[in-house]
């Protein structure tokens, strides 16, 4: 069973939910929850085997400037965006979703190409995805 935020983030990465909708959802969360989502996104990027050479494309896809703090951090392969000031959280979210999208797309095309049992890769399949609250 996935947490609601895990479903939303995976829907974003798989193109099942528009980025603008994901950003609106994220910005509507209390600050502590936004920080938890960013922490989860870092873990998802690691699990999906994000690579440092994914960073330039992630910055481009995210729509943030390469000079914004989250982009500079990621260029140096430093995470911890959940600790940034509140005004940097949405930028961090956009950037990490872009990185996760690249890594997870690659993962689904290689490791999961013939199908898989990962709950997060089978969203909307079957009777419906159960969602736990964070």
């Amino acid at each position: 069973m996935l947490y609601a935020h895990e479903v939303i983030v995976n829907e974003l990465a798989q193109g099942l939910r528009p980025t603008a909708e994901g950003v609106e959802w994220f910005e509507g969360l209390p600050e502590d929850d936004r920080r938890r989502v960013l922490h989860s996104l870092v873990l998802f990027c690691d699990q999906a085997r994000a690579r440092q050479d994914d960073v330039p494309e992630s910055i481009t896809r995210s729509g943030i400037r390469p000079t914004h703090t989250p982009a500079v951090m990621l260029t140096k392969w430093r995470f911890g965006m959940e600790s940034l000031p509140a005004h940097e959280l949405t930028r961090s979210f956009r950037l990490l979703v872009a990185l996760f999208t690249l890594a997870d797309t690659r993962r689904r095309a290689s490791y999961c190409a013939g199908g898989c049992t990962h709950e997060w890769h089978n969203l909307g399949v079957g009777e419906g995805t159960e969602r736990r609250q964070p």
Side-chain angles (χ1 to χ4, degrees):
M1 185 176 348
L2 298 173
Y3 286 104
H5 74 278
E6 294 171 326
V7 172
I8 292 168
V9 167
N10 276 281
E11 288 173 342
L12 290 167
Q14 294 173 38
L16 302 173
R17 182 183 294 257
T19 301
E21 186 180 312
V23 169
E24 183 179 337
W25 163 79
F26 181 78
E27 289 178 336
L29 295 173
E31 185 177 326
D32 286 347
D33 288 346
R34 285 184 281 154
R35 292 181 186 283
R36 279 193 271 286
V37 168
L38 291 177
H39 180 75
S40 293
L41 262 167
V42 169
L43 297 175
F44 296 165
C45 289
D46 183 52
Q47 290 172 339
R49 296 181 177 92
R51 302 186 303 225
Q52 196 164 5
D53 62 352
D54 293 330
V55 173
E57 179 66 19
S58 299
I59 293 170
T60 300
R61 287 185 180 202
S62 73
I64 71 169
R65 292 183 184 159
T67 55
H68 285 142
T69 302
V72 172
M73 288 175 69
L74 197 57
T75 300
K76 296 177 181 184
W77 207 236
R78 297 206 174 146
F79 294 87
M81 286 87 167
E82 71 270 10
S83 299
L84 289 173
H87 71 276
E88 295 284 5
L89 298 182
T90 298
R91 291 177 185 154
S92 299
F93 177 75
R94 294 177 68 88
L95 181 60
L96 290 173
V97 166
L99 179 64
F100 179 48
T101 298
L102 287 170
D104 193 55
T105 299
R106 183 174 48 245
R107 181 181 179 181
R108 282 183 284 116
S110 57
Y111 297 105
C112 301
C116 68
T117 59
H118 295 124
E119 186 176 3
W120 54 91
H121 286 162
N122 294 290
L123 299 173
V125 175
E127 288 296 312
T129 304
E130 288 187 58
R131 300 176 187 193
R132 296 185 292 179
Q133 294 302 312

